[in-house]
Amino acid sequence: LVLFNTKTGFNISLDEEYGLSEIQPSLNASFIDNNGICWIGCKDKIIRFHPATMASLKDPVNSFSKIQQFDQVIQIGLDTTFSYSQNQFYFEFNAVHFLASDHIEYRYKLDGYDSDWILSKEGKASYSKLLHGRYTFIVQSSINNQFNTANQLCFSFEIQAPYWKQGWFVFFVVSGILFSFFYLLRRR
């Protein structure tokens, strides 16, 4: 049974996980009464559905299972600044929903790297050879592919620039070249 709200675009497929197995609704055997309650005639039963019950279907609760930098597990909450050579990350995340755990879908993106969201049924993402800069990994989960109200889980980190791209290094190199140039000019 698929419920679809034409005003919001919200839809959800109600099946065995919601306690609706083998309902076999009859074609054109549905009615909405004055109270907004939907009555659906089936082969051997009648289903009463009140749309307000859909408000109780909360979004799944997200959490990180593991965040790795190469093969080292990162403790969330500790220093999240890495050297330029520490540029490979692996994220494992999950979501809990007590009614529809098999319907959970994820979308994630790495701000500073991905331009669009990536949809997935698996709670895994990996990134390698990231350039220096600030990044935020964002993951959302949903049971009905409606992510506009989904909870977000974020992890921010920074990869430092290599020493040859740091201001102090450029300053010393330019200073050394200028010093050498003026030294050789005076020596002549």
Side-chain angles (χ1 to χ4, degrees):
L1 179 65
V2 177
L3 300 175
F4 182 72
N5 186 330
T6 56
K7 293 177 184 171
T8 63
F10 176 85
N11 68 67
I12 189 164
S13 177
L14 300 177
D15 55 16
E16 295 86 22
E17 285 192 39
Y18 292 98
L20 297 175
S21 61
E22 300 178 20
I23 58 172
Q24 301 173 353
S26 300
L27 187 62
N28 296 325
S30 61
F31 173 73
I32 298 176
D33 68 18
N34 292 337
N35 297 324
I37 296 172
C38 181
W39 297 88
I40 303 168
C42 300
K43 183 178 178 184
D44 58 353
K45 60 185 125 195
I46 294 177
I47 296 176
R48 177 187 180 269
F49 174 76
H50 196 292
T53 60
M54 294 304 291
S56 66
L57 289 178
K58 304 271 189 231
D59 289 321
V61 178
N62 304 320
S63 66
F64 285 115
S65 305
K66 182 180 0 176
I67 301 175
Q68 281 184 239
Q69 190 282 310
F70 285 108
D71 58 352
Q72 254 184 351
V73 175
I74 297 170
Q75 297 296 323
I76 297 174
L78 297 179
D79 187 19
T80 56
T81 303
F82 302 95
S83 72
Y84 73 94
S85 62
Q86 296 175 306
N87 59 7
Q88 182 175 341
F89 291 84
Y90 173 75
F91 299 92
E92 270 188 31
F93 41 91
N94 57 34
V96 176
H97 193 275
F98 295 108
L99 290 176
S101 59
D102 286 349
H103 292 273
I104 294 175
E105 294 179 333
Y106 302 97
R107 80 173 183 174
Y108 62 87
K109 87 184 219 180
L110 183 61
D111 266 353
Y113 184 80
D114 293 323
S115 57
D116 294 323
W117 290 95
I118 299 166
L119 294 173
S120 174
K121 284 229 178 240
E122 291 186 9
K124 299 175 184 178
S126 63
Y127 294 90
S128 60
K129 297 183 182 178
L130 294 173
L131 300 176
H132 63 280
R134 285 211 53 78
Y135 297 96
T136 301
F137 181 76
I138 306 167
V139 63
Q140 296 178 327
S141 60
S142 174
I143 57 168
N144 55 14
N145 208 13
Q146 303 290 320
F147 292 98
N148 51 349
T149 62
N151 299 321
Q152 284 192 165
L153 184 63
C154 302
F155 176 75
S156 297
F157 60 97
E158 180 178 5
I159 299 176
Q160 295 177 331
Y163 70 88
W164 60 87
K165 289 188 177 182
Q166 305 247 351
W168 61 266
F169 182 79
V170 172
F171 173 76
F172 282 122
V173 168
V174 169
S175 298
I177 291 171
L178 288 175
F179 177 77
S180 299
F181 175 74
F182 286 119
Y183 177 76
L184 289 173
L185 204 74
R186 279 192 148 208
R187 213 162 168 237
R188 283 181 110 181

